[in-house]
Structure formats: C-alpha cells, structure tokens
Amino acid sequence: MPRAERRTTQRGARLLRNALYTPGMALLGTKTYKNYIAGEWVDAVSGETFESTSPANGEAIGTFPLSGEEDVERAVDAAKAAFDEWRLVPAPKRGEILFRFGQLLADQKEDLAQLMAREMGKVLAEARGDVQEAIDMSFYMGGEGRRLFGQTTPSELRDKFQMSVRMPIGVVGVITPWNFPIAIPSWKMLPALVAGNTIVFKPATDTPTLGERFVELLVEAGLPTGVVNVVHGGGGAVGEALVRHPDVRVISLTGSRETGVAVLKAAAEGLKHVHLELGGKNAIIVLDDADLDLAVDGIVWSAFGTSGQRCTAASRVIVQRGVYAELQGKLVAAAERLRLGAGWEDDTDVGPVINEQALEKIHSYTGIGRDEGAKLLTGGEVASDNGLDRGFYYRPTIFGDVEPDMRIAQEEIFGPTTALIPVDSLDEAIRAANGVKYGLSSSIFTRDVNKAFRAMRDLDTGITYINAGTIGAEVHLPFGGTKDTGNGHREAGQAALDVFTEWKSIYVDYSGRLQKAQIDTD
Ligand code: NAD
C-alpha cells in the first residue's frame, strides 16, 4: 500500500477509535491490535494473543499478539534493511520527523492521557505530564538533527586536520516498563532515531496500547518503512530474543535490577552496547532548619505520586530528630487526606497500582516492616471500599522509627510505602541515604546553603534536588543513576546520544607526504 494511502487509513482508524471514545469513559468495545513490522500491521506468527486490562477497574482494553522469536527475527530483518537508507537521510531531515511527531503528540495529548489513566492507572495530571515529557523530548531531539556535535582539535603535525563525528550503530532493541508508557519510549527511541539508528520496540505487556499508539504516531509523522517496528509480548519470549539476536547491536532497557542483570548477561556473548536504567531506593533528607510544610508537600508528591511506582519515588525519608515528631504528624495527616480512585476521576489523588502481583508484593512489605519492628503509622492495607475492589488499590503507607538497614529501607517496594528514618546529623543522614545499593535520586530540605552544597557533593546519586522532592527531571539534563541503578549510561540531554552513537575519529593529512604521529613532530 503506498505510504500516503496507508497514512490515511491509519488516521481513519484513529478517528474511528476517538469517535467511540469519550474521555474518562470506557471504550465501546475493545480492539485487536497487531505488531508493526516492515511497514505492515501483522499478527504474531503463532496467532496467540494476550489481553490488556485496566488496573483501575479490570475493564478490557485491547487484545495483542503474543509474539515470539520468529516475530522478533522478522522485525530485526526489517530494521536491518531500513538502516542502510535511514543512516544516510540527513540528520536535520530526521529531526524534522521528530518535530512532526512532537506536534502529533501535542494534538493527541488529552486522548493519550485519558488512555494512560485507564491502561496504566496514573491520575490525569500525571498522565498529561508523561505525554508532555515525550513532547519535550521530541522537540529537544528534533533539534539535535541540526547539532549532533562532534569535536575538532588541532593536530600535532602541520597541514593535518582532525575531528570526531557521531556515527549511528544499527538496529536498537528498545525494552520498556509500564510506569511511564509514553515518556520512557521517547527517551530511548527519539535519540536513537535522530542519530540514524533503526528500532525494534518491545513495550511492557501491562501497557501495550500506549506502546502501539506511540508507534502509530511515529509512522504518521513520516518515518520510512522498517525504521521503527513493534513486537508485543513477554520479557522471556520477545525481550530475550531481541537481546540475543546477533543483528541487534544496542539494547536499551528500563526495568528492574533483576531484569537488567539478566539482559547484561545475555548480551555479553554478542558484546552489545547495553544501556540499563534500573531500580531506585530514593531518600529525602529533612534537616532541623527545613521549611516543614514545603518538605511535607515534596514528600507526599514523591512518595505517593504515581502510587509510588516511579523509579525516583521517595521510599525513604531521613529526618533530623529536632523536627521528627512534627514532620511525622504533618505527613501522616497529609497521607490520610489522599483520596484513592480511578485516575480519570477529577478528585483522585492516588490511582491503582499496576496489577495484582504488584499489590501482593507491596502488601508483603507491610508484613516485613512490621516483623522488623518498624512502626506502622498509617495505611498498610489493600483498599476495597466504594468499588475499589474492582481494581488494585493500596492505602498510602508510612512506617516510623525505621532503621536504615531494615529491608523496607533497603529494597525497592515500588508502591505507595515510605519509611521515616530518624537521624542526629547531616553526616548521619548522608551515610543513611548512601547506604543502599541503588543511586538514582536524592533530595534535601534545608535553608542552610553550606549544608545544601555538602549534600550536592556527597549524596551518591545521579540526580539530587535541593528543597524539592525526588521527582522532577527535565529532558535536557542527563537522567540516570549510580551503583545498581544502571551501568554508567544516561538518558536525556546530550548524554543520551552516547548510548546510540559510536565516536569516529577522522584524520585528514593535506601535507602531501607521509607524516608519522608522535615521530615527525619536530
Ligand atoms: P521489569 O524489569 O519487570 O520489566 C521491564 C521490561 O523488561 C518489560 O518490557 C519486560 O517485559 C522486559 N523483560 C523482562 N524480563 C526480560 C528479559 N529476561 N529479557 C529482556 N526483557 C525482559 O520492570 P517493570 O516492572 O516493568 O518496571 C519496574 C522497574 O523499572 C522498577 O524496578 C523501576 O525502578 C524500574 N524503572 C527504572 C527507571 C529508571 O529510569 N531508572 C524508570 C522507570 C522504571
């Protein structure tokens, strides 16, 4: 089918879907979706499918291909074939497609946010923020099409010129989690595309509709056939096949530490570039001189926003003893005011968690905290009143008198649970904050500029906030963490390009004779 015709068909399908869909309401019937390989929407080779359902109320959202190795092979073949031409498209032209994509996302922002509230569960304001992040990334990376800066340096020899340039690598495997179903694919795919790579994308099985919409809009923006492909299915069947495929040169994964380790091991044999964004156990420090009301706002947003399911969520609050009792009182009162409900309802503060397994894991940590001797101050239970039993809701939970080495203060819970840890001094606070295996985000509330600067220097995390929570990254600074949060790479900002490009150093000798570096230098 010619591209123009295909685009019209896709636009028609979208209009029809929108016509059936009133924001905040259930779709009138669900749809069967397909993989997108070599410019065609196709079923899985096996013909098998899986369902996406809403964590808010269990309603069915869509049916997706349950793909396997053969589907991955087809998608990688398509991406490999497309690379030869895509890498030669001038980068500013590649960037223009990203600008168009950003505009399409902006046009679709409300529709995508409503869908996200249903499929992933986050509240609408946050869902809009998730889409906005992808819009910002589109325009930022679109601009890279006219930058992609390399370096020129002087030569030690006469009549010689030298420079370094960024080269695309080839086929990139993109594997994403469900918690930022539009933003995270944008962090990976947009820098990969503007740099001239082609993509096989495996979205999380909990949010496949949003992954599909993302690709649909990229295609509508004008990406040529084969440049982006989507293969739906599980981490074992699709993710692993992608990681092991010899023609996939780069893997970019956001997920749990355990998945990251498995991916790194599987990719080692092929010496692939592996970019990992993994878990967090982020801490907010509140010192005696802090603005406590501001700190409470920051903690509530960071601990309970997205139902605590952010890699940057504040699951620890390290509090100097002088303000511990007052902060605890204000925090518990604020948490108890939060209203649980479906993300699309106007008065909802905290939406559901992603699935039953997550609900069980979060609740098991309440038991673990109690058994360890921490004091349960509020929450600690599954919420099932007023129809909440149709979804997966957990009450915002705060533990007090937590020791830094307790499991609830060490392990990623990924739910609306936070632990208050009393300390005597800034030094003790920083030791506790750093005393976990992860190193993503940290924050300190203080009015003392000297203490703030010591914290900026000494907190061992990839991101540090002063007088704000642990959440709030913008797309033009590097995003990622130290220690077990990753493997040294960063998303966003200029740093993102390092994942998706190889440096090539080029030497041009225009002296007309053989000049030997380090030897003919006199
Ligand atoms: P997950 O690790 O279970 O899954 C992530 C993705 O990896 C999914 O698409 C999954 O299907 C796939 N996968 C699973 N096993 C695989 C394998 N063996 N090979 C290849 N792919 C495989 O994580 P999740 O539950 O979707 O997301 C939550 C986790 O993601 C948390 O640990 C959170 O901290 C982390 N996260 C990190 C960041 C960050 O930027 N550091 C951002 C968001 C989420």
Side-chain angles (χ1 to χ4, degrees):
M1 189 189 290
R3 194 200 292 165
E5 198 182 317
R6 201 163 53 232
R7 270 202 230 157
T8 312
T9 312
Q10 281 156 2
R11 200 167 295 129
R14 185 152 55 75
L15 288 174
L16 176 64
R17 192 156 58 234
N18 291 350
L20 292 173
Y21 172 53
T22 312
M25 307 284 288
L27 269 174
L28 305 177
T30 65
K31 192 185 155 184
T32 299
Y33 294 87
K34 295 176 188 269
N35 291 330
Y36 186 69
I37 298 177
E40 303 290 340
W41 295 98
V42 292
D43 292 320
V45 171
S46 68
E48 288 179 48
T49 58
F50 69 96
E51 297 290 322
S52 170
T53 54
S54 173
N57 59 11
E59 70 170 304
I61 291 179
T63 303
F64 287 84
L66 188 61
S67 316
E69 200 167 336
E70 261 187 90
D71 304 287
V72 171
E73 272 171 21
R74 288 179 182 193
V76 174
D77 287 350
K80 194 179 174 198
F83 178 63
D84 287 342
E85 176 50 32
W86 181 243
R87 77 187 176 90
L88 299 179
V89 173
K93 293 287 162 202
R94 296 195 296 251
E96 282 171 19
I97 296 176
L98 300 198
F99 288 138
R100 280 201 289 280
F101 177 63
Q103 191 53 54
L104 287 169
L105 283 174
D107 295 345
Q108 292 287 308
K109 182 172 170 179
E110 190 56 28
D111 186 26
L112 289 166
Q114 295 281 348
L115 177 61
M116 196 180 300
R118 293 171 59 239
E119 187 171 54
M120 183 273 160
K122 63 176 75 175
V123 299
L124 271 180
E126 293 181 31
R128 292 184 187 116
D130 191 313
V131 180
Q132 186 58 46
E133 206 162 323
I135 297 169
D136 297 344
M137 189 60 94
S138 306
F139 293 132
Y140 180 77
M141 284 299 164
E144 271 311 314
R146 287 193 182 269
R147 287 190 293 266
L148 283 179
F149 293 141
Q151 294 171 338
T152 59
T153 66
S155 168
E156 64 193 31
L157 297 168
R158 285 172 190 268
D159 298 332
K160 192 175 169 194
F161 174 82
Q162 47 203 39
M163 63 184 166
S164 61
V165 293
R166 288 188 184 275
M167 305 298 286
I169 303 176
V171 179
V172 175
V174 169
I175 305 175
T176 56
W178 43 265
N179 66 336
F180 279 83
I182 295 289
I184 289 181
S186 83
W187 295 357
K188 299 180 184 308
M189 290 204 250
L190 304 183
L193 288 171
V194 80
N197 303 282
T198 56
I199 289 173
V200 178
F201 171 35
K202 190 208 91 61
T205 44
D206 284 305
T207 50
T209 320
L210 290 154
E212 196 270 351
R213 294 296 299 277
F214 189 92
V215 168
E216 200 178 302
L217 293 179
L218 269 177
V219 173
E220 191 173 335
L223 275 188
T225 297
V227 172
V228 69
N229 305 273
V230 62
V231 182
H232 292 284
V238 176
E240 266 191 54
L242 203 48
V243 174
R244 290 189 188 279
H245 197 295
D247 289 331
V248 176
R249 295 305 314 151
V250 184
I251 289 289
S252 181
L253 165 93
T254 295
S256 63
R257 182 188 181 282
E258 293 65 33
T259 304
V261 171
V263 164
L264 202 53
K265 283 184 183 163
E269 199 60 40
L271 289 173
K272 296 176 190 224
H273 296 218
V274 179
H275 161 229
L276 303 173
E277 292 291 341
L278 309 175
K281 191 69 191 174
N282 314 291
I284 291 178
I285 296 173
V286 183
L287 297 186
D288 283 347
D289 65 8
D291 175 338
L292 279 199
D293 291 326
L294 180 63
V296 168
D297 286 348
I299 296 163
V300 168
W301 171 229
S302 303
F304 306 127
T306 326
S307 309
Q309 304 169 110
R310 288 185 181 227
C311 50
T312 50
S315 52
R316 297 181 297 154
V317 182
I318 301 171
V319 193
Q320 213 170 353
R321 283 188 208 278
V323 290
Y324 184 84
E326 191 182 351
L327 184 89
Q328 175 180 304
K330 284 175 183 265
L331 203 52
V332 168
E336 289 177 350
R337 279 195 298 272
L338 296 172
R339 184 189 169 275
L340 287 172
W344 59 82
E345 289 167 4
D346 284 341
D347 51 352
T348 295
D349 298 304
V350 180
V353 300
I354 191 67
N355 54 35
E356 190 164 9
Q357 205 187 345
L359 194 66
E360 283 167 8
K361 177 181 168 190
I362 293 161
H363 191 51
S364 78
Y365 272 97
T366 295
I368 289 168
R370 276 203 180 107
D371 293 347
E372 288 177 307
K375 202 156 132 195
L376 181 63
L377 300 173
T378 187
E381 58 182 14
V382 173
S384 53
D385 51 330
N386 299 324
L388 294 181
D389 56 343
R390 292 165 62 215
F392 308 114
Y393 295 88
Y394 204 73
R395 296 232 178 270
T397 299
I398 303 175
F399 276 103
D401 297 339
V402 177
E403 299 290 336
D405 58 355
M406 288 179 177
R407 284 183 63 193
I408 55 166
Q410 289 286 326
E411 297 172 16
E412 189 180 44
I413 301 171
F414 223 56
T417 299
T418 199
L420 303 188
I421 302 172
V423 293
D424 289 318
S425 65
L426 173 61
D427 284 343
E428 193 185 341
I430 289 178
R431 261 199 313 279
N434 289 344
V436 293
K437 63 183 170 198
Y438 297 110
L440 183 51
S441 186
S442 57
S443 127
I444 185 165
F445 283 85
T446 177
R447 290 185 171 107
D448 183 330
V449 68
N450 296 346
K451 289 178 177 161
F453 267 87
R454 282 185 51 207
M456 284 183 233
R457 184 193 63 196
D458 294 339
L459 286 168
D460 188 0
T461 53
I463 306 166
T464 294
Y465 294 89
I466 309 299
N467 291 325
T470 48
I471 289 173
E474 300 181 30
V475 302
H476 39 285
L477 281 185
F479 180 95
T482 61
K483 301 190 281 185
D484 285 15
T485 292
N487 60 343
H489 298 288
R490 291 291 183 270
E491 319 216 73
Q494 295 288 298
L497 297 169
D498 293 338
V499 173
F500 302 108
T501 54
E502 290 275 19
W503 282 113
K504 177 181 271 190
S505 299
I506 298 175
Y507 300 91
V508 184
D509 193 317
Y510 54 98
S511 69
R513 59 201 167 87
L514 179 66
Q515 300 193 88
K516 303 188 197 82
Q518 294 91 39
I519 296 172
D520 297 334
T521 50
D522 291 338

